[in-house]
């Protein structure tokens, strides 16, 4: 089975130094009835002996809950990032893949805090770039550490070498969402680095500040060059020509993914034909920040 992305409408970009943010509207069937609230993702370490690459997540909502690849989790034995997106049934509890985003600490309590912070494109790409599927592996964990280490060496070391610490010093663009907006395309240093598309404006609203803060952090590593609208529109057109394939289980949803040339796309969808997109992330792997650190 292959799935195509519905048409995307791209608005005028707004630039802040090397960061340019383009609003996106999805011309397709919307998603309703889902809970996007990060605070309803209850996260704990594995019972008995914590495992770096695994966490236990629980849906504290009475509705199906979206937990996204790239969501950052503070606390536990170390700060983590969810490695694969999943749609949890009401009150469901299950083990999910994770990557460490805090180098060194391996102690503490069991519970994590989820507040909507997002991993940056460069760090998230390190999580997925070295594997054809979205199953965690040692190589991708090493790549994530290298990319966070780039912040440490170029922007200044933090006490815990945590992605979340670096985000504390990154102020996102002072932008507000536009009515009906369900996604963004991000330009950094004059080139599109990627984008995120949500199945509803509610999904974008839940992760909005986290997306902007993470993009602003990556932009601190790039030249202060704005990205032209033509590049964003070209990127959107490329997305709609990419055939997505069923990538396996994602709780109540299915993973979808594709790699074509320098374009890597992955996310989750529902429906008999997987035509109702919950969330998609896309990266242009030719961007200099997405090269191996």
């Amino acid at each position: 089975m292959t799935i195509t992305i519905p048409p995307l409408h791209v608005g005028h970009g707004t630039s802040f130094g090397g960061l340019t943010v383009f609003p996106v509207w999805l011309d397709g069937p919307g998603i309703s009835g889902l809970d996007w609230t990060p605070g309803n993702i209850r996260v704990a370490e594995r019972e008995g002996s914590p495992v770096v690459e695994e966490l236990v997540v629980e849906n504290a909502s009475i509705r199906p809950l979206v937990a996204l690849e790239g969501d950052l989790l503070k606390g536990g034995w170390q700060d983590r990032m969810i490695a694969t997106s999943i749609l949890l049934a009401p009150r469901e509890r299950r083990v999910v893949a994770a990557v460490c985003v805090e180098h060194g600490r391996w102690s503490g309590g069991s519970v994590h805090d989820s507040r909507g912070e997002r991993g940056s494109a460069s760090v998230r790409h390190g999580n997925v770039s070295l594997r054809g599927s979205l199953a965690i592996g040692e190589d991708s964990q090493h790549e994530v550490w290298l990319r966070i280490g780039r912040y440490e060496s170029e922007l200044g070391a933090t006490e815990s070498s945590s992605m979340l610490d670096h985000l504390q010093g990154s102020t996102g663009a002072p932008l507000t969402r536009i009515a009906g907006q369900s996604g963004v395309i991000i330009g950094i240093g004059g080139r599109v680095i990627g984008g995120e598309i949500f199945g509803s404006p509610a999904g974008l609203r839940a992760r909005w500040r986290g997306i902007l803060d993470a993009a602003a952090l990556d932009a601190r590593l790039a030249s202060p060059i704005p990205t032209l609208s033509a590049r964003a529109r070209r990127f959107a057109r490329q997305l709609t020509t990419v055939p997505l394939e069923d990538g396996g289980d994602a709780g109540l949803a299915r993973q979808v993914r594709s790699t074509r040339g320098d374009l890597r796309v992955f996310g989750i969808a529902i429906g008999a034909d997987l035509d109702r997109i919950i969330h998609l992330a896309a990266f242009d792997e030719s961007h200099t920040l997405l090269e191996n650190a």
Side-chain angles (χ1 to χ4, degrees):
M1 177 187 298
T2 58
I3 310 101
T4 56
I5 300 171
L8 302 174
H9 303 283
V10 181
H12 182 71
T14 303
S15 295
F16 301 86
L19 171 64
T20 308
V21 180
F22 299 89
V24 175
W25 290 264
L26 179 66
D27 185 8
I31 297 285
S32 61
L34 303 184
D35 192 329
W36 296 88
T37 310
N40 283 336
I41 307 171
R42 304 287 172 79
V43 186
E45 300 286 358
R46 294 292 302 266
E47 293 183 7
S49 179
V51 179
V52 171
E53 65 270 19
E54 293 181 350
L55 288 169
V56 179
V57 297
E58 181 180 0
N59 177 2
S61 173
I62 61 173
R63 295 181 293 165
L65 177 69
V66 183
L68 290 180
E69 169 277 325
D71 281 347
L72 296 177
L73 310 168
K74 185 174 181 60
W77 281 47
Q78 59 187 194
D79 296 345
R80 309 285 227 296
M81 182 174 71
I82 294 178
T84 61
S85 296
I86 189 169
L87 182 63
L88 296 164
R91 309 302 184 187
E92 181 181 5
R93 189 170 185 263
R94 69 157 64 192
V95 175
V96 299
V99 288
C100 169
V101 293
E102 177 186 5
H103 199 281
R105 180 172 69 95
W106 187 240
S107 63
S110 174
V111 178
H112 290 75
D113 184 21
S114 177
R115 297 174 295 186
E117 289 103 336
R118 300 284 285 154
S120 64
S122 61
V123 169
R124 289 168 58 203
H125 184 258
N127 172 47
V128 301
S129 63
L130 298 181
R131 44 200 171 91
S133 68
L134 295 182
I136 193 63
E138 290 184 3
D139 287 343
S140 55
Q141 176 64 82
H142 179 65
E143 190 70 17
V144 166
W145 277 333
L146 286 177
R147 290 161 189 261
I148 294 174
R150 186 160 52 189
Y151 298 137
E152 293 279 299
S153 62
E154 297 189 29
L155 303 180
T158 64
E159 183 176 351
S160 67
S161 301
S162 171
M163 172 87 197
L164 282 158
D165 281 352
H166 285 286
L167 285 172
Q168 293 293 324
S170 175
T171 302
L175 289 174
T176 57
R177 289 169 289 105
I178 303 172
Q181 181 182 347
S182 56
V184 290
I185 290 175
I186 301 294
I188 293 179
R191 296 183 56 191
V192 170
I193 193 171
E196 296 201 48
I197 309 298
F198 294 81
S200 77
L204 178 63
R205 180 173 65 247
R207 302 303 194 280
W208 177 247
R209 183 47 48 190
I211 291 171
L212 294 184
D213 288 348
L217 178 59
D218 264 350
R220 294 174 64 191
L221 300 176
S223 301
I225 303 171
T227 302
L228 298 176
S229 296
R231 289 180 178 266
R233 295 192 175 98
R234 185 183 308 121
F235 183 79
R237 287 194 299 271
Q238 290 174 332
L239 276 178
T240 59
T241 65
V242 172
L244 300 175
E245 298 179 350
D246 188 337
D249 175 68
L252 294 178
R254 301 288 294 177
Q255 293 182 27
V256 291
R257 65 189 184 211
S258 181
T259 300
R260 174 176 286 186
D262 292 323
L263 185 62
R264 177 182 286 264
V265 188
F266 55 91
I268 54 175
I270 57 175
D273 297 320
L274 299 183
D275 58 344
R276 300 180 65 200
I277 292 169
I278 296 174
H279 177 261
L280 289 178
F283 296 136
D284 180 348
E285 298 192 308
S286 68
H287 196 286
T288 54
L289 287 182
L290 301 188
E291 296 174 350
N292 290 344

